[in-house]
Amino acid sequence: MVSRIIKIILVAIGAVACISGGVLYAMFPKIIKAKIEEQLILANGTTTYENWKNIPIPMYVRFYIFNVTNPSDFMNNNAKPIVEEVGPYTFKINRKKEVIGRNEERDTVQYNEVNTYIFQPEISAGTQDEMVYVVNAPLQGIAKIATKNIPPLIRPFFMPLLSSLLIHYKEYVIVKRKIRQLLFDGYEVRLLKDLNKSASRFVKIPPLLPNNTFGLFYGKNATSGGTFTVFTGKSNSSRFTLIDTWNNKRFLPYWSSKYCNMINGTDGGQFPPHTTKEEILYVFSTDLCRSLNFEYEKEVNIKGIKTNRFTIPAQFYAAPVANPDNQCFCSNNQSCLNGGVIELTTCKRGAPVVASAPHFYQASKQYLQNVIGLKPDKTLHQTFLDVEPMTGLVLNARKRIQLNIDVKRTPELESLQSINDVLIPLAWLSEVSQFSLPASIIIIFKQS
Ligand SMILES: *[C@@H]1O[C@H](CO)[C@@H](O)[C@H](O)[C@H]1NC(C)=O
Ligand SMILES: *[C@@H]1O[C@H](CO)[C@@H](O)[C@H](O)[C@H]1NC(C)=O
Ligand SMILES: *[C@@H]1O[C@H](CO)[C@@H](O)[C@H](O)[C@H]1NC(C)=O
Ligand SMILES: *[C@@H]1O[C@H](CO)[C@@H](O)[C@H](O)[C@H]1NC(C)=O
Ligand SMILES: *[C@@H]1O[C@H](CO)[C@@H](O)[C@H](O)[C@H]1NC(C)=O
Ligand SMILES: *[C@@H]1O[C@H](CO)[C@@H](O)[C@H](O)[C@H]1NC(C)=O
Ligand SMILES: *[C@@H]1O[C@H](CO)[C@@H](O)[C@H](O)[C@H]1NC(C)=O
Ligand SMILES: *[C@@H]1O[C@H](CO)[C@@H](O)[C@H](O)[C@H]1NC(C)=O
């Protein structure tokens, strides 16, 4: 059985052509170890390299949107927001790495990763033209920046102007939008243009949104998510696919200390070979603007292949009081958020975006209690990676992130003066990659 499994893995990475006879595997584990290492190199002409550039494992992203069902009660009567999850709206991801350079001395390869998203109506709950009532993210961004950046002398003139512009453009706390506007198409926030025109004499308005357009994945289709440099594994297999730099930097620019700015681990698609259950696996996430750590949870069998499931420990999300390592992820020492959520303001152009696990899974109860309609569930909402230990390949993964907007009462702005402070979920997404054995491999599996 063991030899069979190893054979499948080797077939999957293209190594089987180099070895003949099934007995060999069981008898010479050292040879196998060397063989695996020999194969796991990002070098021209290897199967590993081709599979790494164009990942053969199908990948999807499913979006779920939180439809607010009591907008007027929430906005006018101090009621808690009631949300109803709608979705999934599913897109196939075609992920391509475009190699742009190599550094033989450092043993690295540099690439841009381009994702193309194709809508899949047959595995979606509805069309992208459906309407939902959602929390108005641009409004909170504008309010936050105005509250923080406008000098006291200018406030008496500026805030009433902003307040009337918000009413004029119907920028309320909850707005009605199409699914497609919230995801890739985006919608123009016309207020921003006007605001710039009328306010630029007093104050410099930072560009809050690209093209003054808001959409969770606006500008992300068929474009590069940054330039990565990773180790090829040629001179040291323990570095296979570990990230060396991102956008030519070894540290992130977002956080207040070197520790929080570390770019650790891989992109989560694979790890160096021979990972053990005792190891902490690091993944750098461009969505969360930070490195994540994963710990072993249990063994999971995927079509006869034994894998180790790694998940994000609760400690990772803990508030700075419980986990001082997280202090540097808090942008304002006076008002750090509670456990289970990650403030993304510094990496989202100052917008009050807060990430968490879907439905505030593993988060402080306070967030869950302030919104009606959420039901955290480990199976549905946890993030995990199933890693084949010998090769480090990730055979099955779910990356699940919820984006919330930190809604704040702002007495100077009419649209925001009669609400309570609350973290309102806008949407969550699940990125799915699921290994399925190609037909040719299944035939070999059956023969051995
Ligand atoms: C790898 O292949 C590419 C294009 O096929 C070529 O430009 C490059 O020089 C090759 N690199 C090495 C190290 O052989
Ligand atoms: C969102 O809620 C509104 C009313 O509460 C409803 O009309 C609309 O159909 C819902 N949207 C979806 C996609 O279910
Ligand atoms: C992404 O771009 C491709 C073409 O490059 C297009 O076919 C596809 O529909 C676009 N996806 C979305 C979600 O707009
Ligand atoms: C505001 O207008 C100036 C020029 O009038 C322009 O350079 C700047 O990009 C604009 N900012 C925004 C956020 O549109
Ligand atoms: C902004 O608009 C320009 C012109 O329409 C377009 O080329 C560019 O891609 C847009 N930016 C983003 C982030 O989509
Ligand atoms: C190989 O890389 C690992 C991980 O970075 C490192 O700990 C180890 O010292 C390296 N081995 C050699 C021989 O350089
Ligand atoms: C980065 O990795 C190092 C070990 O290589 C670890 O000590 C550190 O905690 C990690 N940093 C983050 C932010 O995960
Ligand atoms: C926040 O507190 C930490 C430790 O308590 C300190 O090291 C850091 O400099 C403080 N940051 C700010 C911006 O005050």
Side-chain angles (χ1 to χ4, degrees), residues 228-284:
F228 288 85
T229 309
V230 301
F231 291 99
T232 69
K234 192 167 153 214
S235 62
N236 181 345
S237 71
S238 333
R239 289 199 180 145
F240 173 66
T241 67
L242 290 181
I243 298 170
D244 187 27
T245 66
W246 179 60
N247 291 337
N248 292 311
K249 292 200 180 66
R250 214 149 262 142
F251 287 92
L252 298 170
Y254 305 125
W255 312 105
S256 64
S257 87
K258 218 170 170 174
Y259 166 80
C260 283
N261 283 325
M262 284 173 137
I263 299 173
N264 275 351
T266 72
D267 67 359
Q270 68 292 300
F271 294 94
H274 320 301
T275 63
T276 66
K277 295 173 179 175
E278 288 73 35
E279 261 173 87
I280 295 174
L281 298 183
Y282 291 102
V283 173
F284 171 58

Short mmCIF file of all heavy atoms in Angstrom, two decimals, residues 228-284:
data_model
loop_
_atom_site.label_atom_id
_atom_site.label_comp_id
_atom_site.label_asym_id
_atom_site.label_seq_id
_atom_site.Cartn_x
_atom_site.Cartn_y
_atom_site.Cartn_z
N PHE A 228 6.57 38.18 -7.31
CA PHE A 228 7.15 37.32 -6.28
C PHE A 228 8.51 36.80 -6.73
O PHE A 228 8.73 36.56 -7.91
CB PHE A 228 6.26 36.09 -6.06
CG PHE A 228 4.97 36.37 -5.35
CD1 PHE A 228 3.85 36.81 -6.04
CD2 PHE A 228 4.87 36.18 -3.98
CE1 PHE A 228 2.66 37.06 -5.39
CE2 PHE A 228 3.68 36.43 -3.31
CZ PHE A 228 2.57 36.87 -4.01
N THR A 229 9.42 36.63 -5.76
CA THR A 229 10.66 35.90 -6.02
C THR A 229 10.68 34.74 -5.06
O THR A 229 10.52 34.93 -3.84
CB THR A 229 11.88 36.80 -5.77
OG1 THR A 229 11.68 38.01 -6.48
CG2 THR A 229 13.15 36.14 -6.24
N VAL A 230 10.83 33.51 -5.59
CA VAL A 230 10.83 32.33 -4.72
C VAL A 230 12.07 31.48 -5.01
O VAL A 230 12.65 31.55 -6.08
CB VAL A 230 9.56 31.47 -4.91
CG1 VAL A 230 8.30 32.27 -4.61
CG2 VAL A 230 9.50 30.87 -6.31
N PHE A 231 12.44 30.67 -4.02
CA PHE A 231 13.58 29.77 -4.18
C PHE A 231 13.19 28.58 -5.05
O PHE A 231 12.09 28.05 -4.93
CB PHE A 231 14.08 29.31 -2.82
CG PHE A 231 14.71 30.40 -2.01
CD1 PHE A 231 13.99 31.07 -1.03
CD2 PHE A 231 16.01 30.80 -2.27
CE1 PHE A 231 14.57 32.09 -0.29
CE2 PHE A 231 16.60 31.83 -1.54
CZ PHE A 231 15.88 32.48 -0.56
N THR A 232 14.11 28.16 -5.92
CA THR A 232 13.80 27.05 -6.83
C THR A 232 13.96 25.70 -6.15
O THR A 232 13.41 24.70 -6.61
CB THR A 232 14.72 27.06 -8.06
OG1 THR A 232 16.05 26.72 -7.62
CG2 THR A 232 14.73 28.40 -8.75
N GLY A 233 14.73 25.64 -5.06
CA GLY A 233 14.96 24.36 -4.38
C GLY A 233 16.14 23.59 -4.95
O GLY A 233 16.44 22.49 -4.49
N LYS A 234 16.83 24.15 -5.93
CA LYS A 234 17.92 23.42 -6.59
C LYS A 234 19.09 23.16 -5.63
O LYS A 234 19.54 22.03 -5.49
CB LYS A 234 18.39 24.22 -7.81
CG LYS A 234 19.30 23.43 -8.72
CD LYS A 234 19.45 24.17 -10.05
CE LYS A 234 20.78 23.83 -10.68
NZ LYS A 234 21.36 24.94 -11.42
N SER A 235 19.55 24.21 -4.96
CA SER A 235 20.72 24.02 -4.10
C SER A 235 20.32 23.61 -2.69
O SER A 235 21.13 23.09 -1.94
CB SER A 235 21.54 25.31 -4.04
OG SER A 235 20.77 26.34 -3.49
N ASN A 236 19.05 23.82 -2.31
CA ASN A 236 18.60 23.45 -0.97
C ASN A 236 17.11 23.15 -1.04
O ASN A 236 16.28 24.05 -1.12
CB ASN A 236 18.89 24.61 0.00
CG ASN A 236 18.48 24.28 1.41
OD1 ASN A 236 17.75 23.32 1.66
ND2 ASN A 236 18.96 25.08 2.36
N SER A 237 16.79 21.85 -0.98
CA SER A 237 15.39 21.48 -1.19
C SER A 237 14.48 21.98 -0.06
O SER A 237 13.28 22.09 -0.25
CB SER A 237 15.25 19.97 -1.34
OG SER A 237 15.49 19.36 -0.10
N SER A 238 15.04 22.31 1.12
CA SER A 238 14.17 22.82 2.19
C SER A 238 13.68 24.23 1.90
O SER A 238 12.92 24.78 2.69
CB SER A 238 14.86 22.85 3.55
OG SER A 238 15.83 21.91 3.65
N ARG A 239 14.18 24.82 0.81
CA ARG A 239 13.71 26.17 0.48
C ARG A 239 12.77 26.18 -0.71
O ARG A 239 12.33 27.25 -1.14
CB ARG A 239 14.91 27.07 0.17
CG ARG A 239 15.69 27.37 1.39
CD ARG A 239 16.58 28.58 1.19
NE ARG A 239 17.30 28.82 2.43
CZ ARG A 239 18.53 29.26 2.50
NH1 ARG A 239 19.19 29.55 1.40
NH2 ARG A 239 19.10 29.44 3.66
N PHE A 240 12.46 25.00 -1.25
CA PHE A 240 11.62 24.89 -2.44
C PHE A 240 10.35 25.75 -2.32
O PHE A 240 9.56 25.55 -1.38
CB PHE A 240 11.25 23.42 -2.65
CG PHE A 240 10.25 23.16 -3.73
CD1 PHE A 240 10.55 23.40 -5.06
CD2 PHE A 240 8.99 22.66 -3.42
CE1 PHE A 240 9.63 23.14 -6.06
CE2 PHE A 240 8.06 22.40 -4.42
CZ PHE A 240 8.38 22.65 -5.74
N THR A 241 10.18 26.70 -3.20
CA THR A 241 9.03 27.63 -3.32
C THR A 241 8.84 28.60 -2.14
O THR A 241 7.83 29.30 -2.09
CB THR A 241 7.67 26.92 -3.58
OG1 THR A 241 7.32 26.17 -2.43
CG2 THR A 241 7.73 26.03 -4.80
N LEU A 242 9.79 28.66 -1.21
CA LEU A 242 9.69 29.68 -0.15
C LEU A 242 9.87 31.07 -0.78
O LEU A 242 10.69 31.25 -1.68
CB LEU A 242 10.76 29.46 0.92
CG LEU A 242 10.60 28.24 1.83
CD1 LEU A 242 11.73 28.20 2.84
CD2 LEU A 242 9.25 28.25 2.55
N ILE A 243 9.13 32.04 -0.29
CA ILE A 243 9.19 33.38 -0.87
C ILE A 243 10.45 34.10 -0.37
O ILE A 243 10.72 34.13 0.84
CB ILE A 243 7.94 34.20 -0.49
CG1 ILE A 243 6.69 33.51 -1.06
CG2 ILE A 243 8.04 35.64 -1.02
CD1 ILE A 243 5.39 34.09 -0.55
N ASP A 244 11.19 34.67 -1.30
CA ASP A 244 12.37 35.47 -0.94
C ASP A 244 11.96 36.94 -0.85
O ASP A 244 12.21 37.59 0.16
CB ASP A 244 13.46 35.25 -1.99
CG ASP A 244 14.77 35.91 -1.60
OD1 ASP A 244 15.02 36.06 -0.40
OD2 ASP A 244 15.55 36.27 -2.51
N THR A 245 11.30 37.45 -1.90
CA THR A 245 10.82 38.84 -1.87
C THR A 245 9.44 38.95 -2.50
O THR A 245 9.03 38.08 -3.28
CB THR A 245 11.75 39.81 -2.63
OG1 THR A 245 11.70 39.49 -4.03
CG2 THR A 245 13.18 39.74 -2.14
N TRP A 246 8.74 40.02 -2.16
CA TRP A 246 7.47 40.35 -2.79
C TRP A 246 7.57 41.81 -3.23
O TRP A 246 7.94 42.67 -2.41
CB TRP A 246 6.31 40.17 -1.80
CG TRP A 246 4.97 40.51 -2.37
CD1 TRP A 246 4.36 39.93 -3.44
CD2 TRP A 246 4.07 41.51 -1.89
NE1 TRP A 246 3.13 40.50 -3.66
CE2 TRP A 246 2.93 41.48 -2.72
CE3 TRP A 246 4.09 42.44 -0.84
CZ2 TRP A 246 1.84 42.32 -2.54
CZ3 TRP A 246 3.01 43.28 -0.67
CH2 TRP A 246 1.89 43.22 -1.51
N ASN A 247 7.28 42.06 -4.49
CA ASN A 247 7.50 43.39 -5.08
C ASN A 247 8.90 43.92 -4.75
O ASN A 247 9.08 45.08 -4.39
CB ASN A 247 6.43 44.39 -4.59
CG ASN A 247 5.07 44.05 -5.18
OD1 ASN A 247 4.97 43.40 -6.22
ND2 ASN A 247 4.02 44.49 -4.51
N ASN A 248 9.85 43.00 -4.85
CA ASN A 248 11.27 43.29 -4.62
C ASN A 248 11.60 43.71 -3.19
O ASN A 248 12.65 44.29 -2.94
CB ASN A 248 11.77 44.35 -5.60
CG ASN A 248 11.81 43.79 -7.01
OD1 ASN A 248 12.33 42.70 -7.24
ND2 ASN A 248 11.22 44.51 -7.95
N LYS A 249 10.69 43.44 -2.26
CA LYS A 249 10.95 43.80 -0.87
C LYS A 249 10.99 42.56 0.01
O LYS A 249 10.25 41.61 -0.21
CB LYS A 249 9.88 44.76 -0.35
CG LYS A 249 9.92 46.11 -1.03
CD LYS A 249 9.21 47.16 -0.20
CE LYS A 249 9.26 48.51 -0.86
NZ LYS A 249 8.49 48.54 -2.14
N ARG A 250 11.85 42.60 1.03
CA ARG A 250 11.95 41.47 1.93
C ARG A 250 10.99 41.64 3.11
O ARG A 250 10.67 40.69 3.80
CB ARG A 250 13.40 41.35 2.40
CG ARG A 250 13.81 39.95 2.61
CD ARG A 250 15.28 39.69 2.34
NE ARG A 250 15.46 39.15 1.01
CZ ARG A 250 16.47 39.45 0.22
NH1 ARG A 250 17.38 40.31 0.59
NH2 ARG A 250 16.54 38.90 -0.96
N PHE A 251 10.55 42.87 3.33
CA PHE A 251 9.59 43.14 4.42
C PHE A 251 8.41 43.94 3.87
O PHE A 251 8.56 44.71 2.92
CB PHE A 251 10.27 43.92 5.55
CG PHE A 251 11.22 43.08 6.36
CD1 PHE A 251 12.56 43.01 6.02
CD2 PHE A 251 10.76 42.33 7.44
CE1 PHE A 251 13.44 42.22 6.74
CE2 PHE A 251 11.64 41.53 8.16
CZ PHE A 251 12.97 41.47 7.81
N LEU A 252 7.25 43.78 4.51
CA LEU A 252 6.05 44.50 4.09
C LEU A 252 6.13 45.95 4.56
O LEU A 252 6.81 46.25 5.54
CB LEU A 252 4.81 43.85 4.72
CG LEU A 252 4.56 42.41 4.33
CD1 LEU A 252 3.46 41.81 5.19
CD2 LEU A 252 4.17 42.33 2.86
N PRO A 253 5.42 46.86 3.88
CA PRO A 253 5.44 48.26 4.32
C PRO A 253 4.28 48.63 5.26
O PRO A 253 4.13 49.78 5.61
CB PRO A 253 5.28 49.01 3.00
CG PRO A 253 4.47 48.10 2.13
CD PRO A 253 4.74 46.69 2.59
N TYR A 254 3.45 47.64 5.68
CA TYR A 254 2.16 48.00 6.29
C TYR A 254 2.16 48.16 7.80
O TYR A 254 1.36 48.89 8.35
CB TYR A 254 1.11 46.93 5.95
CG TYR A 254 0.95 46.67 4.48
CD1 TYR A 254 1.08 45.39 3.96
CD2 TYR A 254 0.66 47.72 3.61
CE1 TYR A 254 0.92 45.15 2.60
CE2 TYR A 254 0.50 47.48 2.25
CZ TYR A 254 0.64 46.19 1.76
OH TYR A 254 0.48 45.96 0.44
N TRP A 255 3.01 47.41 8.51
CA TRP A 255 2.85 47.31 9.97
C TRP A 255 3.96 48.03 10.71
O TRP A 255 4.94 48.46 10.12
CB TRP A 255 2.76 45.84 10.37
CG TRP A 255 1.82 45.06 9.52
CD1 TRP A 255 2.14 44.18 8.54
CD2 TRP A 255 0.38 45.12 9.51
NE1 TRP A 255 1.01 43.67 7.94
CE2 TRP A 255 -0.08 44.24 8.52
CE3 TRP A 255 -0.55 45.84 10.27
CZ2 TRP A 255 -1.44 44.06 8.26
CZ3 TRP A 255 -1.91 45.65 10.00
CH2 TRP A 255 -2.33 44.77 9.01
N SER A 256 3.80 48.09 12.04
CA SER A 256 4.68 48.96 12.82
C SER A 256 5.94 48.29 13.35
O SER A 256 6.70 48.90 14.08
CB SER A 256 3.90 49.59 13.98
OG SER A 256 3.49 48.57 14.86
N SER A 257 6.18 47.02 13.02
CA SER A 257 7.43 46.41 13.45
C SER A 257 7.92 45.39 12.43
O SER A 257 7.15 44.92 11.59
CB SER A 257 7.30 45.75 14.81
OG SER A 257 6.84 44.42 14.64
N LYS A 258 9.20 45.06 12.57
CA LYS A 258 9.85 44.13 11.67
C LYS A 258 9.15 42.77 11.73
O LYS A 258 8.97 42.10 10.72
CB LYS A 258 11.31 43.99 12.09
CG LYS A 258 12.24 43.88 10.92
CD LYS A 258 13.69 43.99 11.33
CE LYS A 258 14.51 43.62 10.11
NZ LYS A 258 15.93 43.79 10.26
N TYR A 259 8.76 42.37 12.92
CA TYR A 259 8.13 41.06 13.11
C TYR A 259 6.84 40.94 12.28
O TYR A 259 6.65 40.01 11.52
CB TYR A 259 7.84 40.81 14.60
CG TYR A 259 6.92 39.66 14.83
CD1 TYR A 259 7.39 38.35 14.79
CD2 TYR A 259 5.55 39.87 15.05
CE1 TYR A 259 6.53 37.29 14.97
CE2 TYR A 259 4.69 38.80 15.23
CZ TYR A 259 5.18 37.52 15.20
OH TYR A 259 4.33 36.46 15.36
N CYS A 260 5.96 41.92 12.42
CA CYS A 260 4.69 41.87 11.70
C CYS A 260 4.89 42.00 10.19
O CYS A 260 4.08 41.52 9.40
CB CYS A 260 3.74 42.95 12.19
SG CYS A 260 2.97 42.54 13.77
N ASN A 261 5.98 42.65 9.79
CA ASN A 261 6.23 42.87 8.36
C ASN A 261 6.97 41.72 7.68
O ASN A 261 7.29 41.81 6.50
CB ASN A 261 7.02 44.17 8.17
CG ASN A 261 6.12 45.39 8.30
OD1 ASN A 261 4.95 45.34 7.89
ND2 ASN A 261 6.65 46.46 8.85
N MET A 262 7.22 40.63 8.42
CA MET A 262 7.95 39.49 7.82
C MET A 262 7.13 38.84 6.71
O MET A 262 5.92 38.66 6.85
CB MET A 262 8.23 38.44 8.88
CG MET A 262 9.35 38.80 9.81
SD MET A 262 9.40 37.55 11.12
CE MET A 262 11.13 37.28 11.23
N ILE A 263 7.81 38.50 5.62
CA ILE A 263 7.17 37.75 4.54
C ILE A 263 7.65 36.31 4.67
O ILE A 263 8.77 35.99 4.33
CB ILE A 263 7.52 38.35 3.17
CG1 ILE A 263 7.05 39.80 3.10
CG2 ILE A 263 6.91 37.52 2.05
CD1 ILE A 263 7.49 40.54 1.85
N ASN A 264 6.79 35.46 5.20
CA ASN A 264 7.19 34.10 5.58
C ASN A 264 6.56 33.06 4.69
O ASN A 264 5.41 33.19 4.26
CB ASN A 264 6.70 33.81 7.01
CG ASN A 264 7.66 34.31 8.07
OD1 ASN A 264 8.77 34.74 7.76
ND2 ASN A 264 7.22 34.24 9.31
N GLY A 265 7.28 31.96 4.48
CA GLY A 265 6.68 30.76 3.90
C GLY A 265 6.46 30.84 2.40
O GLY A 265 7.16 31.54 1.69
N THR A 266 5.43 30.12 1.95
CA THR A 266 5.14 30.04 0.51
C THR A 266 3.81 30.74 0.23
O THR A 266 3.23 31.34 1.13
CB THR A 266 5.02 28.57 0.06
OG1 THR A 266 3.79 28.02 0.56
CG2 THR A 266 6.18 27.73 0.56
N ASP A 267 3.32 30.62 -1.01
CA ASP A 267 2.01 31.20 -1.33
C ASP A 267 0.87 30.27 -0.93
O ASP A 267 -0.29 30.56 -1.20
CB ASP A 267 1.93 31.54 -2.82
CG ASP A 267 1.94 30.32 -3.71
OD1 ASP A 267 2.03 29.19 -3.19
OD2 ASP A 267 1.86 30.47 -4.95
N GLY A 268 1.18 29.13 -0.32
CA GLY A 268 0.14 28.22 0.15
C GLY A 268 -0.22 27.14 -0.85
O GLY A 268 -1.03 26.27 -0.56
N GLY A 269 0.36 27.19 -2.04
CA GLY A 269 0.07 26.17 -3.06
C GLY A 269 0.87 24.90 -2.84
O GLY A 269 0.46 23.82 -3.24
N GLN A 270 2.03 25.04 -2.22
CA GLN A 270 2.87 23.89 -1.89
C GLN A 270 3.90 24.33 -0.85
O GLN A 270 4.03 25.52 -0.58
CB GLN A 270 3.58 23.34 -3.14
CG GLN A 270 4.63 24.25 -3.74
CD GLN A 270 4.05 25.48 -4.35
OE1 GLN A 270 3.25 25.40 -5.27
NE2 GLN A 270 4.42 26.65 -3.83
N PHE A 271 4.58 23.32 -0.28
CA PHE A 271 5.62 23.59 0.72
C PHE A 271 6.85 22.78 0.35
O PHE A 271 6.77 21.90 -0.50
CB PHE A 271 5.09 23.21 2.12
CG PHE A 271 3.95 24.10 2.55
CD1 PHE A 271 2.63 23.72 2.33
CD2 PHE A 271 4.21 25.33 3.14
CE1 PHE A 271 1.59 24.56 2.69
CE2 PHE A 271 3.16 26.16 3.51
CZ PHE A 271 1.86 25.78 3.28
N PRO A 272 7.98 23.07 1.00
CA PRO A 272 9.15 22.23 0.74
C PRO A 272 8.85 20.78 1.10
O PRO A 272 7.98 20.52 1.93
CB PRO A 272 10.22 22.83 1.66
CG PRO A 272 9.78 24.22 1.90
CD PRO A 272 8.29 24.18 1.90
N PRO A 273 9.55 19.80 0.50
CA PRO A 273 9.26 18.39 0.78
C PRO A 273 9.60 18.02 2.23
O PRO A 273 10.34 18.72 2.90
CB PRO A 273 10.16 17.64 -0.21
CG PRO A 273 11.21 18.62 -0.62
CD PRO A 273 10.59 19.97 -0.51
N HIS A 274 9.05 16.87 2.66
CA HIS A 274 9.28 16.29 3.98
C HIS A 274 8.79 17.20 5.10
O HIS A 274 9.54 17.52 6.03
CB HIS A 274 10.76 15.94 4.20
CG HIS A 274 11.42 15.35 2.99
ND1 HIS A 274 10.97 14.20 2.41
CD2 HIS A 274 12.46 15.78 2.24
CE1 HIS A 274 11.72 13.93 1.34
NE2 HIS A 274 12.61 14.88 1.22
N THR A 275 7.55 17.66 5.01
CA THR A 275 6.99 18.46 6.11
C THR A 275 6.54 17.51 7.21
O THR A 275 6.04 16.43 6.93
CB THR A 275 5.76 19.28 5.67
OG1 THR A 275 4.74 18.37 5.28
CG2 THR A 275 6.08 20.21 4.53
N THR A 276 6.74 17.91 8.45
CA THR A 276 6.32 17.05 9.56
C THR A 276 5.13 17.68 10.27
O THR A 276 4.83 18.86 10.09
CB THR A 276 7.46 16.88 10.57
OG1 THR A 276 7.71 18.17 11.17
CG2 THR A 276 8.72 16.36 9.91
N LYS A 277 4.49 16.85 11.11
CA LYS A 277 3.32 17.33 11.85
C LYS A 277 3.71 18.36 12.90
O LYS A 277 2.88 19.14 13.35
CB LYS A 277 2.65 16.14 12.56
CG LYS A 277 2.08 15.13 11.60
CD LYS A 277 1.56 13.91 12.34
CE LYS A 277 0.97 12.93 11.34
NZ LYS A 277 0.55 11.67 11.99
N GLU A 278 4.98 18.33 13.31
CA GLU A 278 5.42 19.24 14.37
C GLU A 278 5.70 20.64 13.83
O GLU A 278 5.78 21.60 14.59
CB GLU A 278 6.70 18.71 15.04
CG GLU A 278 6.50 17.49 15.91
CD GLU A 278 6.23 16.22 15.11
OE1 GLU A 278 6.82 16.07 14.02
OE2 GLU A 278 5.42 15.39 15.56
N GLU A 279 5.85 20.73 12.52
CA GLU A 279 6.24 22.01 11.94
C GLU A 279 5.11 23.03 11.96
O GLU A 279 3.93 22.67 11.93
CB GLU A 279 6.62 21.80 10.47
CG GLU A 279 8.10 21.71 10.22
CD GLU A 279 8.37 21.33 8.78
OE1 GLU A 279 8.43 22.25 7.95
OE2 GLU A 279 8.52 20.14 8.49
N ILE A 280 5.49 24.31 11.98
CA ILE A 280 4.53 25.38 11.71
C ILE A 280 4.71 25.72 10.24
O ILE A 280 5.84 25.94 9.79
CB ILE A 280 4.84 26.61 12.59
CG1 ILE A 280 4.63 26.27 14.07
CG2 ILE A 280 3.96 27.78 12.19
CD1 ILE A 280 5.04 27.39 15.01
N LEU A 281 3.64 25.73 9.50
CA LEU A 281 3.75 26.10 8.09
C LEU A 281 3.33 27.56 7.94
O LEU A 281 2.29 27.97 8.43
CB LEU A 281 2.86 25.21 7.22
CG LEU A 281 3.18 23.72 7.23
CD1 LEU A 281 2.25 22.98 6.26
CD2 LEU A 281 4.64 23.46 6.84
N TYR A 282 4.17 28.33 7.24
CA TYR A 282 3.87 29.74 7.04
C TYR A 282 3.38 29.98 5.61
O TYR A 282 3.89 29.38 4.66
CB TYR A 282 5.11 30.60 7.30
CG TYR A 282 5.51 30.63 8.76
CD1 TYR A 282 6.57 29.86 9.21
CD2 TYR A 282 4.82 31.41 9.68
CE1 TYR A 282 6.94 29.87 10.55
CE2 TYR A 282 5.17 31.43 11.01
CZ TYR A 282 6.24 30.66 11.44
OH TYR A 282 6.59 30.68 12.76
N VAL A 283 2.40 30.87 5.48
CA VAL A 283 1.86 31.24 4.18
C VAL A 283 1.76 32.75 4.13
O VAL A 283 1.22 33.36 5.06
CB VAL A 283 0.46 30.62 3.95
CG1 VAL A 283 -0.16 31.14 2.67
CG2 VAL A 283 0.54 29.11 3.93
N PHE A 284 2.27 33.34 3.07
CA PHE A 284 2.10 34.78 2.93
C PHE A 284 0.83 35.05 2.12
O PHE A 284 0.65 34.52 1.03
CB PHE A 284 3.31 35.41 2.23
CG PHE A 284 3.09 36.85 1.87
CD1 PHE A 284 2.77 37.78 2.85
CD2 PHE A 284 3.17 37.27 0.55
CE1 PHE A 284 2.54 39.10 2.52
CE2 PHE A 284 2.95 38.60 0.22
CZ PHE A 284 2.63 39.51 1.20
#
